[in-house]
Structures are given as structure tokens and as C-alpha cells.
Amino acid sequence: MTKKDTQRKEIESVCTYCGVGCDITGVVEDNKIIKIFAQKDGVVSEGKLCIKGKYGYDFVDAKDRIREPRIKKTFLAKNPQLQKVFGAKLVAFDDAYMTCDVDTATSMAAMKLDEIKKQYGSESFCAIGGARTSCESAYAFQKFCRETMESPHVDNCARVCHSPSLKGMRATIGEGAATNPYNDIYECEYMIVIGSNTMEAHPIIANRIVDMAKKHNNLSVIDVRETKLARLAKHSCIIPFEANLLLLNMMAYVIIDEELYDKSFIQNRTKDFDVFKEKILNDPYANPAFFKEVEGYEYLAKMIPNIAREYAIKKSMIFWGLGITEHLDGSYAVMAITHLALMTGNIGKTGAGLMPLRGQNNVQGACDMGCLPYYLPDYQTPEKIGLMTPQLMDAMFDGKIKALLNMGEDIVHIHPNVNKTEKAIENLEFIMTQELFMTEIAQKADIVIGVKSAYEKTGVYVNAMRRLHLSQPLVETNLPDDWEVLTQMAHKLGDEKNFHFKTSEDVWNEVREVAPRRFSGADYYRLERHRKCGVQWPLYREDTPILHLLDFRTEDGLGKYVYKQYEPRGMVQEIIEKKFYNDVLEGYYLTTGRTLAHYNNAAQTKRSSKLDTKYDEDVLLAPLEDEEKLGDKVILKSAYGESEALTVKFTDKIRTKTLFCTFHHAKSHINALFGDECDELIMTARFKSVKVDVIPVGDEVACG
């Protein structure tokens, strides 16, 4: 055996990208990842990985990783007291930054935070982030905010993705998480995918859906454009923008009007169905015949009843993504989805249930850990409820928030109304970021501390089906973990009592104590033994693959109907009023989403050439009929801002006067197009619909 052979290792861990949570094996030589693959018997991956999971690991060794803390020189100039205390330990990094060791950086941060807390009060501090790191670090993050800094203002990126799923599901069935494991797809008789480009955003789940659709022709896909998955659908249902709640209430109407509901399930496991039934039957917008008056979408008057009938009489599952949640009525649309399951008994059993397709690798876990202003760990109610991220931006504007701790969430890129966000954070006295790279928010920060990536540390991640996966490091690094940085700062702020952790396992054992309803039985030893198959919370003596078998997690155990009538607006209203179809370049409806090769702000994926060369700029999809009118490049302009010049690709998969664009590259400035419009209950941004004007530009104009 050669020396090289002896240094070659195969290490099992979990993918760092989307919420599917694939099991991976890293092939490592000389502390460098040379390959990643999925084990054939992997329960989540089933031996397959998407292109990101397979090739997206080059970021670990990227030359521009943050490997030493960076302190902005302008920050030091404004804070001579810090320069006086720590100046001797600082050395020049470049024209804009000084650098030092981690201990000095955390000492500086602690000193500044202490000053701000004493001068302005504890609630002048906020913490945003946590869904891109482990549960241990997410837990420490919210604890640092609540206990050390004594501020209720902690939030995470669920605010811009699946917070409406949590809100809608908890309001109706008491738990805001997926009800079934992925493999129940093989047990179901009918599938509805709504508002999800599953083949590109969650491809390993899509593999299962595709297999079943090919075998049984049992798939319906509902979206504002024709996605790849729709090509395999029995019913491909292209709907107008912002019509989710309208369509879902129509499905309920058909099920009730034709008495396709499960009377026994309704009587034994839900309450107030008669009130809901009366509201639906008297809703002027719930009858699918309404679509006969919506030009270009008349076929929905027949297709919607067909989908509803098949869903009601078969063992069915519904999958949804951000095409449901990122709307004004996202929470209500999720409630409408759960209504369908409650009426038909398609919940609480194998092969029938609800599957919100989570975006981030640990967004489920971050929410479970209490990284939300209105929930402690285990979804307990805090003594004081803090502000949600959009409210925090307003508070920054008003001068009430003075300091921001940011961890793994690029709020200047992925949040809406980026022009406003940039102005808001300019008002802050102090920003500290824990990151892998100099993202847009890191460039705004006063202190930046480089931390371990998911492939360099031990920690628990919770995927979209509540599966706990204990990751282990593929490679070693001397960078700190997020929770270690927080522990250092807490100690320097005099809070050793709350931060007594020496290892990630110490943190996790405390999680098991404070969140016993979900994690009491999930010790590291058990998670290590089940690393390949995982376990699903709630976990006591046994795990719980399927939720709601006997009752719901409401106070009385019964499912509830929380009815909301659709309110005509936007595209639907314009079509009815004969104002939508025209030949002008104003009044297009834009939606956004991912492409397979990249992940969110592309901070990790763009550092892998096999991924970035496939998609090195954001591309705008436009209707084929507009090719002569728009040309090769356009700028989009909304009431809130405008994009940079975007390359246009014309396709027959996009409907008249609508557009689709990805948002992976910050230089495109896509999120400048979205304003403060948001879900009325939970403030998730209206990313899936904004009205834009299209401005053709010449080939001489380039992005950025």
C-alpha cells in the first residue's frame, strides 16, 4: 500500500445545500476533498446526488475563504477606544481592513456590544441568520441574543421562505413541519406539486416523484409557468400570478359540493367543518366556473375539478415550495392546503400527507432551535416577542436598532428591497458577520470572522422531513465553529453561566433538555448509529416518521379550518377588466426561483467551476412571442428599483406578459425590484410576484 493510499479516507456526512438533506460520502486525501458521492443504501439520497451535492465542494479550499478576522479601518477610526485597547494586536490586511486572531476579534466585538447595550439598551441589538449552520450553532445564536444581550430580536431566513408554512400549518394542525418521510411518495396514489420547481430546487425528492409519475400517471403540477416536472404531469395546471388561494379554495368547493369528503375523519378528527363548508359554498370566487371569465385560463374551470376529485378519492400527498409562501396570502394558502388534507383524511397515514419543501440545509432545524422572534426552542412562547426582519429594517431606519450580529445569511442580497436594506444598515453603529466569504453583507460589516463550513465540523442538521442527521467533518481546519465564536463573546460579556460549552455535543445535550418534545431521545451516540438512515423528530424512545397518526398537535387534538376568501387583485383582476393583454412593455409580472447549478446567493456554488460555468449569470426567461420586441438584453424596472441588464432567453414555457428570473448573482440586482409587500400575517416577502416594466438595451450593456 502506498503512502497516498493510507491517507485516503471515505467519511460519511450530510450535504450542505438544500433542505432535502442528502447523505454524502466525502473522499478525502491529504485533508482535501477530491470527490463526493452518495452511498447506494442512503435512505435520503437513494444513491444519487444533484449536481450541487456532487460537485459543489470546491468552496472549502477556495482562495478567498475568510481565514482570519477582518476589522474595517473606518470602524477603528470611528472607535478610537478600540484602537487604543487592541491596536497593538492588529496588523494590516489590505487597504480596507486590519486583521488579528479570533480571540482579539471577539474581544473587540464584545467590548463594542457592551458599549451599545449600556448606552442604548438591550433591545438596540438584533441577530439575523442561523439556517446555514448546525443546530448547535443556531441554538447558541438565539441564546446569545436572548440571554447574553437580553434582546428578543432574533430571526432567520425562514422569514423569506417558509415562515408562512409554519404559520399556516400550526394554525390548522398544530405543527409546522412535513408530516411524512420522502419514501411515502412510493406509497401514495396521487401527488400534487404546487408552487415548486422540484426538479431544479429539490431534485432528489423529484426523482421519487418522477418515478411514480412515469409508472402511474398520478401527478398534477400547478404553477405560473411550465416547469420541467410539468412535462410528466397528468394535469399541468398553469395559473395566473397570485391565484394560489383562489385555486385551493376552488378545490375545497368541488370536494364539498360533490360530497367527496371523508365524513368519518371530519367528525372524529376536526371541528367546525359545517361553518367552513357554508363559507366555501357561499364564496363567490370558490366555484371553478369563475375561470370561464379569465381569458387565457378558461381551461382551469374544468381542470381544477378534475384535480380535486382525484385528490379526494385517492391516498394523496401535496408538495409545495416558495411559489406558495412568497405571496401576500402565503400563510392563508398553506391553511387552504391543510384544509384539503383535513376534509379528505389525507393526513396521519402512510402515503398521504403534507410536504413543504424546505429551502436551506437547516432551516427546519434553525426554527426548531428558536431562531424566530416569536418562538423559543421547541416552539415555546418567549416572555417578550421580538421584531421580524422587515420590522428590524424599519427599526434600523428609525435609529432604534444600533447593532447587528449576522451569521450565514446575506441579507443585502437575498432579502427584498435591497436599496432600502442598504440604507437601513448604514444607520447601524456596529455590524459583525460570521461567514465563509466576503458576501454582500460581510462587505458592509465592521468585524468579519471566518468560520467552519458544514464540511469542516460536527453538528446536527434537520432536513425538510424532520430528519436529524449528525454530520462529521470531512476535512480539518483551525477555524472556529459558529457556536465557539458566540461562546467566546458571551464569556467576555460576563455570561459564562449560559455558555458553559466545550464541545458541540455539550450544546446539543442542552438542546435535548430545553426542547424535550422533539429531541429528548436524540443523543449523539444514537445519531451516530443512525447516520445513514437518520431519525425523525419527535424522538423519545423511538422516532416518528409520520405525524398526526392519532390526533393533531393542537390544544384539543382536533384539526381546524381557518377560512380566508380570495381577494381579486393583480393579474386576475386586470384580465377580468380587460386591462392585461396588450402590446406594451409595461405591466409584466415577474417571478423568481433557483436553477439546478446554483444555490441561493451562490456564495458556495460559484466557487466550483463545474457549476459556475454552467450558469455564470442570471438569465431572464420571457415569452417566445416577445423575441423581436425585447431583444437580447433588458433592464427590469419596478416601483421599488431596477435590475442590471439581464440576458434574455425566450421560451414557450412562459405565458404571455409574464417573466421568470433567477436571483443567484448579486450583480443582477434582482431583489431591488421587490418592495416591502409581504404576507400579511408573517411578513414573508412577495418574491413570487412583482409588476415590472421591461426596458430593452443594446448588446453593449453588460451585467454589473
Side-chain angles (χ1 to χ4, degrees):
M1 186 178 287
T2 66
K3 183 179 179 182
K4 186 174 182 180
D5 289 332
T6 62
Q7 294 173 338
R8 185 183 178 103
K9 302 176 186 175
E10 291 189 1
I11 304 169
E12 294 178 1
S13 198
V14 63
C15 181
T16 187
Y17 290 107
C18 76
V20 175
C22 287
D23 46 273
I24 62 169
T25 297
V27 180
V28 180
E29 288 183 1
D30 296 328
N31 204 41
K32 182 180 177 64
I33 302 168
I34 61 169
K35 181 181 179 181
I36 284 180
F37 66 93
Q39 297 283 359
K40 290 181 180 179
D41 57 349
V43 170
V44 172
S45 69
E46 297 186 315
K48 300 174 183 176
L49 293 177
C50 78
I51 189 173
K52 293 186 291 293
K54 193 172 183 179
Y55 298 116
Y57 55 81
D58 291 338
F59 71 89
V60 174
D61 294 316
K63 292 181 180 178
D64 58 344
R65 272 291 292 274
I66 303 169
R67 302 205 178 272
E68 57 283 293
R70 300 180 192 182
I71 295 87
K72 197 169 278 185
K73 291 180 179 178
T74 53
F75 172 67
L76 291 169
K78 293 176 185 176
N79 291 272
Q81 74 281 14
L82 297 179
Q83 179 73 48
K84 182 178 179 181
V85 175
F86 301 104
K89 296 183 178 181
L90 302 176
V91 296
F93 180 79
D94 60 18
D95 291 343
Y97 296 96
M98 303 295 283
T99 189
C100 58
D101 58 31
V102 174
D103 181 64
T104 301
T106 55
S107 295
M108 292 179 70
M111 183 173 170
K112 184 60 183 178
L113 288 174
D114 189 49
E115 288 177 5
I116 288 172
K117 184 178 178 182
K118 287 175 178 174
Q119 183 174 354
Y120 301 107
S122 59
E123 292 194 29
S124 65
F125 171 84
C126 72
I128 302 174
R132 298 292 302 140
T133 188
S134 65
C135 284
E136 291 85 344
S137 289
Y139 174 77
F141 187 67
Q142 62 83 34
K143 189 175 188 182
F144 180 85
C145 184
R146 288 190 166 106
E147 302 293 340
T148 307
M149 292 302 294
E150 301 178 296
S151 172
H153 305 316
V154 60
D155 208 352
N156 80 85
C157 69
R159 183 67 46 224
V160 291
C161 60
H162 269 287
S163 286
S165 293
L166 177 60
K167 179 70 174 179
M169 295 177 80
R170 283 185 68 88
T172 48
I173 56 177
E175 187 69 89
T179 60
N180 297 60
Y182 304 148
N183 282 356
D184 270 26
I185 293 169
Y186 299 128
E187 305 294 328
C188 80
E189 297 170 338
Y190 189 63
M191 303 173 290
I192 295 176
V193 176
I194 179 168
S196 167
N197 180 17
T198 321
M199 288 182 75
E200 299 212 46
H202 301 92
I204 302 304
I205 292 178
N207 287 345
R208 293 165 166 85
I209 295 173
V210 167
D211 287 347
M212 293 301 287
K214 287 180 176 178
K215 285 180 183 177
H216 303 294
N217 192 27
N218 62 347
L219 171 66
S220 288
V221 176
I222 303 168
D223 214 311
V224 296
R225 65 186 180 109
E226 185 182 323
T227 61
K228 291 180 180 178
L229 190 62
R231 299 170 195 171
L232 297 166
K234 181 177 184 178
H235 301 294
S236 176
C237 194
I238 311 300
I239 65 174
F241 277 55
E242 301 175 51
N244 291 322
L245 182 61
L246 173 64
L247 176 136
L248 292 162
N249 281 346
M250 286 176 175
M251 288 179 64
Y253 177 96
V254 172
I255 291 167
I256 291 171
D257 184 54
E258 299 182 9
E259 297 189 5
L260 301 174
Y261 48 86
D262 186 330
K263 294 177 183 177
S264 175
F265 190 92
I266 288 169
Q267 183 176 351
N268 293 324
R269 298 204 51 188
T270 76
K271 64 181 181 182
D272 298 330
F273 174 70
D274 289 338
V275 176
F276 174 70
K277 176 181 176 181
E278 184 178 353
K279 288 179 177 178
I280 282 285
L281 293 178
N282 289 290
D283 181 346
Y285 303 108
N287 190 324
F290 173 81
F291 268 111
K292 291 179 181 178
E293 308 302 319
V294 184
E295 183 184 349
Y297 296 89
E298 296 91 343
Y299 70 97
L300 295 175
K302 287 187 177 181
M303 186 176 285
I304 292 168
N306 288 336
I307 294 172
R309 291 172 189 132
E310 199 156 355
Y311 173 81
I313 64 174
K314 292 183 176 179
K315 194 163 62 167
S316 304
M317 296 182 75
I318 302 182
F319 306 80
W320 70 93
L322 306 189
I324 282 286
T325 58
E326 290 180 340
H327 282 290
L328 301 181
D329 52 14
S331 294
Y332 288 121
V334 173
M335 293 175 201
I337 288 172
T338 62
H339 294 159
L340 298 176
L342 291 174
M343 286 192 299
T344 60
N346 271 312
I347 190 168
K349 62 179 74 167
T350 302
L354 303 170
M355 181 67 72
L357 298 172
R358 292 285 197 161
Q360 302 275 13
N361 62 336
N362 199 36
V363 68
Q364 179 69 58
C367 294
D368 296 342
M369 295 302 106
C371 285
L372 292 166
Y374 37 77
Y375 287 128
L376 296 171
D378 230 6
Y379 300 95
Q380 303 301 302
T381 303
E383 285 186 20
K384 179 153 189 179
I385 292 174
L387 299 178
M388 294 178 271
T389 301
Q391 295 169 321
L392 290 172
M393 294 300 157
D394 290 336
M396 291 174 195
F397 255 120
D398 297 339
K400 295 175 182 176
I401 296 291
K402 298 293 186 179
L404 164 68
L405 175 61
N406 174 262
M407 184 171 77
E409 182 173 351
D410 192 356
I411 60 174
V412 187
H413 179 173
I414 67 165
H415 281 247
N417 211 344
V418 293
N419 294 328
K420 177 182 175 181
T421 299
E422 289 182 356
K423 291 176 183 176
I425 63 176
E426 285 174 4
N427 285 347
L428 295 171
E429 287 195 15
F430 179 55
I431 303 172
M432 175 177 153
T433 296
Q434 296 172 213
E435 257 297 352
L436 307 184
F437 300 99
M438 292 301 289
T439 60
E440 300 300 302
I441 182 60
Q443 292 174 43
K444 307 283 185 184
D446 301 299
I447 295 178
V448 185
I449 297 183
V451 292
K452 291 179 178 177
S453 73
Y455 292 159
E456 296 163 318
K457 62 186 179 185
T458 300
V460 177
Y461 293 82
V462 186
N463 75 352
M465 67 175 190
R466 298 172 285 108
R467 174 186 181 270
L468 281 70
H469 191 131
L470 179 60
S471 74
Q472 57 183 333
L474 303 182
V475 294
E476 297 175 3
T477 179
N478 59 2
L479 291 170
D481 202 343
D482 287 301
W483 67 265
E484 292 177 302
V485 173
L486 296 165
T487 299
Q488 279 193 30
M489 289 201 298
H491 286 184
K492 291 162 184 176
L493 286 162
D495 189 16
E496 293 189 15
K497 175 185 173 183
N498 281 305
F499 282 81
H500 50 81
F501 315 120
K502 303 296 183 185
T503 66
S504 62
E505 188 171 7
D506 292 340
V507 186
W508 183 248
N509 284 335
E510 182 168 303
V511 169
R512 291 169 56 215
E513 291 178 9
V514 302
R517 293 177 66 230
R518 285 164 179 78
F519 304 114
S520 61
D523 60 73
Y524 263 26
Y525 174 71
R526 188 175 195 170
L527 297 179
E528 285 169 358
R529 286 192 297 124
H530 294 281
R531 182 170 272 128
K532 202 167 284 187
C533 61
V535 288
Q536 288 173 263
W537 68 246
L539 180 65
Y540 311 115
R541 292 179 179 173
E542 296 181 356
D543 68 341
T544 312
I546 300 172
L547 290 177
H548 316 299
L549 289 168
L550 299 176
D551 53 20
F552 295 105
R553 298 194 127 201
T554 54
E555 288 185 10
D556 56 11
L558 298 176
K560 295 188 288 188
Y561 303 92
V562 185
Y563 174 72
K564 173 70 172 178
Q565 181 176 305
Y566 167 78
E567 298 172 12
R569 64 173 187 273
M571 185 171 169
V572 172
Q573 191 167 15
E574 289 175 29
I575 292 174
I576 292 172
E577 294 176 356
K578 308 296 183 185
K579 296 178 180 178
F580 180 70
Y581 295 110
N582 54 53
D583 201 37
V584 298
L585 294 180
E586 292 83 34
Y588 279 70
Y589 279 84
L590 170 72
T591 192
T592 60
R594 294 180 188 162
T595 187
L596 180 62
H598 275 306
Y599 190 76
N600 284 21
N601 67 346
Q604 293 176 181
T605 50
K606 70 183 179 183
R607 287 167 172 87
S608 292
S609 60
K610 288 183 179 178
L611 302 179
D612 200 46
T613 52
K614 293 179 181 293
Y615 208 94
D616 60 359
E617 65 174 343
D618 287 307
V619 175
L620 182 73
L621 301 185
L624 201 58
E625 68 219 47
D626 289 349
E627 189 164 4
E628 291 186 11
K629 199 162 51 173
L630 301 186
D632 295 331
K633 284 189 179 292
V634 300
I635 288 171
L636 302 180
K637 185 175 183 179
S638 74
Y640 313 103
E642 63 181 58
S643 71
E644 292 294 329
L646 302 165
T647 299
V648 187
K649 181 179 179 181
F650 297 95
T651 172
D652 61 359
K653 310 304 180 188
I654 300 291
R655 298 293 289 253
T656 300
K657 293 285 291 203
T658 70
L659 303 165
F660 169 85
C661 193
T662 56
F663 55 86
H664 300 299
H665 298 278
K667 64 184 180 182
S668 302
H669 223 51
I670 295 299
N671 285 1
L673 298 167
F674 300 93
D676 288 344
E677 295 175 302
C678 58
D679 179 276
E680 62 180 85
L681 299 180
I682 216 70
M683 300 194 80
T684 292
R686 185 191 189 179
F687 279 124
K688 294 308 180 209
S689 177
V690 67
K691 208 170 178 180
V692 297
D693 297 340
V694 183
I695 305 169
V697 294
D699 289 338
E700 72 278 3
V701 178
C703 279

